[in-house]
Amino acid sequence: MRPRASLAVALALCGAVAGCGRAAGSPAGALDVPPPTAAASSLAASPQADKVRPLGRPGAWRITTYYTAVESLHGGKRKAVKGCPRLHCSHGRTPLGSYPEEFLAIIQEEGGGRITSGPQRGRYLNWSHSVGYWLDDTTRDSAGRPLRPWTSAAADRSVLARGQRFAIVDCGRDGNGHRIEAKVCAAFRKARWTVTDLFRPGYGGQNHADVYIGEETGTGFADSPFYTTLSGATLGPS
């Protein structure tokens, strides 16, 4: 898995309904959600893009991505976990089942995962510092709404307000200083993101947005070009 700070840690103090917005997963039934391919109708595809006032400082944004783990794609020794069997509970002690260690490690990095075996099959095992583990029938932002692949985002509150829509105008470079692959950048530019969560001051970082790209679609997803960091990106209104 590529090095990156866990947003589950960054948002742990927000006291959210279901784990502070870095909850995990895609809405129930939204499997293998592909990047957007329809032609963009606003800023990112517009020849007037350079004339639109950017959000925040041009070339100063860091865009990280997060996804939902899928149990069947991960191995390791099974480990029993305890937590909350429902929402509106924190740090519960109810047995929630046993899961592969690799799956649990990714849940603590990405926020949660879809269960594919046992009595909880089809549900989600989510996690955050402020809640611990809990079971859910979907994945949610901090207001309790399902996360939407290639739409939901968390962002720096000093620049973007909750509910504000934005587009990625320029992808910048990856963590190694290379230009983002053309097809990958095109997918990010075509998406229209909505801020459903805000970083607490001092945790998310200025000019930082974290965007949700749905469930992992196969083994090695952490090496996918879409699971990346865009450094020096530019955002614009959508």
Side-chain angles (χ1 to χ4, degrees):
M1 180 178 296
R2 64 185 175 79
R4 65 195 299 269
S6 171
L7 192 59
V9 176
L11 297 177
L13 301 180
C14 69
V17 172
C20 295
R22 185 57 185 279
S26 57
L31 307 182
D32 294 356
V33 177
T37 56
S41 60
S42 57
L43 181 64
S46 169
Q48 302 301 318
D50 293 339
K51 299 180 180 179
V52 176
R53 183 176 180 179
L55 298 173
R57 291 193 296 127
W61 282 88
R62 182 169 65 94
I63 310 298
T64 52
T65 56
Y66 65 108
Y67 67 93
T68 300
V70 176
E71 181 189 4
S72 61
L73 298 176
H74 302 285
K77 183 179 178 180
R78 298 186 76 86
K79 179 180 178 182
V81 298
K82 295 181 178 180
C84 293
R86 62 188 185 281
L87 287 174
H88 309 300
C89 163
S90 64
H91 301 293
R93 301 299 300 167
T94 301
L96 303 181
S98 297
Y99 305 96
E101 287 184 329
E102 183 179 302
F103 180 58
L104 295 176
I106 294 176
I107 284 176
Q108 291 202 5
E109 172 69 18
E110 300 300 319
R114 180 167 59 87
I115 301 167
T116 60
S117 66
Q120 303 300 337
R121 180 177 180 178
R123 302 192 73 196
Y124 293 86
L125 180 66
N126 298 333
W127 181 89
S128 81
H129 277 282
S130 61
V131 175
Y133 286 108
W134 79 97
L135 292 173
D136 203 334
D137 293 325
T138 186
T139 60
R140 307 175 191 274
D141 61 25
S142 62
R145 298 166 298 203
L147 291 174
R148 298 173 57 198
W150 294 89
T151 300
S152 298
D156 172 13
R157 68 174 64 209
S158 69
V159 181
L160 300 176
R162 188 187 301 274
Q164 186 168 352
R165 287 168 54 86
F166 68 89
I168 297 173
V169 180
D170 184 86
C171 296
R173 298 179 179 274
D174 64 19
N176 296 318
H178 302 135
R179 294 295 299 180
I180 302 297
E181 188 177 345
K183 69 175 184 179
V184 174
C185 184
F188 281 107
R189 285 169 57 96
K190 289 174 181 176
R192 293 297 175 267
W193 309 96
T194 299
V195 178
T196 58
D197 287 302
L198 299 171
F199 299 131
R200 288 188 66 85
Y203 284 84
Q206 292 185 345
N207 291 297
H208 176 199
D210 200 47
V211 298
Y212 177 61
I213 58 174
E215 284 194 355
E216 59 183 338
T217 55
T219 56
F221 184 82
D223 295 321
S224 161
F226 294 102
Y227 182 59
T228 188
T229 295
L230 310 180
S231 299
T234 299
L235 304 188
S238 172

